[in-house]
Amino acid sequence: MVKANYTHRDLVGQSAPDVRAAIRAGEYAGQTSGLAAGKLQCNLAILPERYALDFLRFCLRNPKPCPIVGASDTGNPFLPTLGHDIDIRHDVPRYRVFRDGVLAEETTDITDLWADDLVTVALGCSFTFENALMRADIPVRHIEMGRNVPMYRSNIPLVPAGPFAGEMVVTMRPIPAEQVDAAHQISARFPQAHGAPIATGDPVNIGINDLAHPEWGEPVEIRTGEVPVYWACGVTPQNVLLDARLPICITHAPGHMLIADVAEDAETTVLNTQ
């Protein structure tokens, strides 16, 4: 791959290793929805080892927004269970760095921030099941519009662990009313990518006041005959990490995921290296 400044459209249909290669080379820093169809996409939380056990407990207690699909060894930037050559320091299009609960910077490479006590936790992402929805001719509006999925704060409480607590973040996709049941059934087959929706219909019921103004991502059109459908979102742990005011933690920027080599419908997220 030698072309500079790849667009999202350029990378549609490329393999997971090729997309990561473009990202690693600094040639793509955009959102990853719809890329590397059939491969698992992952949210990220990178934090000091002394907080990692409590964070893993938190994820296990809240599996809908925080489905664990991988974890690194302490101080090791590689994730061989998710990809043969994944280096978490520069294989994500855009990172967010938080210090003491405050966003300090966004960057496309964290090599200079890497430390021997850091642990990477990879969490499933709803981008994974979108390919299955589209194969069933269920529209995915933000992909149609070339936008990042809209994400909202909800009032759904989470089960705390150590310093980690808060409310769930959700994604919204407008689904034709007659296809809502099918969308539920299809996404339920991907429990490691947030699984089935957590709510449908009126956003006020889950604490969202205005679908036209998401906290993250971009708004999408809701057409006549469509129903807003909400899934748990991997931005949830970002908010939880922020509220815990860790001295440092690093996440992906919303919508800018790690793309793994693991198949989206694999029985296990541990890559077969045999």
Side-chain angles (χ1 to χ4, degrees), residues 2-266:
V2 296
K3 180 180 176 181
N5 301 318
Y6 284 91
T7 68
H8 185 277
R9 181 173 295 182
D10 292 330
L11 294 175
V12 171
Q14 297 293 326
S15 69
D18 280 348
V19 175
R20 290 199 306 271
I23 293 167
R24 184 179 298 189
E27 305 294 355
Y28 183 71
Q31 58 97 0
T32 57
S33 177
L35 298 184
K39 297 301 183 183
L40 186 72
Q41 295 207 26
C42 307
N43 301 283
L44 291 178
I46 303 171
L47 66 167
E49 182 185 42
R50 65 184 180 277
Y51 302 105
L53 181 56
D54 274 337
F55 182 71
L56 288 167
R57 288 193 185 104
F58 172 81
C59 294
L60 289 169
R61 293 173 185 176
N62 299 279
K64 288 289 281 186
C66 306
I68 300 169
V69 297
S72 74
D73 292 327
T74 302
N76 189 338
F78 300 103
L79 288 168
T81 63
L82 292 176
H84 295 291
D85 66 341
I86 290 176
D87 185 333
I88 207 60
R89 295 172 295 187
H90 39 232
D91 284 0
V92 173
R94 186 169 296 275
Y95 305 83
R96 283 187 164 181
V97 181
F98 297 90
R99 297 183 187 276
D100 301 316
V102 177
L103 178 62
E105 64 175 305
E106 286 199 0
T107 182
T108 58
D109 191 292
I110 59 169
T111 302
D112 292 342
L113 298 171
W114 192 257
D116 290 341
D117 68 334
L118 292 179
V119 175
T120 301
V121 180
L123 306 167
C125 170
S126 58
F127 284 0
T128 295
F129 65 68
E130 290 175 342
N131 299 312
L133 294 181
M134 290 187 292
R135 286 196 297 270
D137 294 323
I138 296 174
V140 180
R141 184 62 37 73
H142 63 276
I143 293 180
E144 292 177 355
M145 297 179 69
R147 295 185 173 182
N148 198 354
V149 65
M151 294 163 266
Y152 306 85
R153 298 180 189 271
S154 80
N155 60 6
I156 302 170
L158 300 165
V159 181
F164 304 111
E167 290 78 38
M168 190 183 299
V169 175
V170 300
T171 55
M172 187 282 295
R173 295 165 183 79
I175 303 293
E178 68 275 11
Q179 293 182 301
V180 169
D181 287 346
H184 189 288
Q185 293 170 11
I186 289 168
S187 57
R189 299 201 298 263
F190 299 88
Q192 295 180 111
H194 304 303
I198 51 89
T200 60
D202 192 342
V204 173
N205 293 336
I206 56 172
I208 301 171
N209 293 322
D210 187 356
L211 290 178
H213 294 90
E215 279 83 8
W216 304 272
E218 300 168 277
V220 296
E221 179 185 4
I222 301 176
R223 299 172 184 166
T224 302
E226 294 180 334
V227 178
V229 181
Y230 312 92
W231 280 265
C233 176
V235 172
T236 300
Q238 291 195 17
N239 277 356
V240 167
L241 288 163
L242 187 154
D243 290 344
R245 299 185 179 279
L246 305 188
I248 186 170
C249 66
I250 303 168
T251 71
H252 65 289
H256 299 64
M257 307 300 175
L258 172 69
I259 300 177
D261 292 336
V262 177
E264 64 183 18
D265 57 354

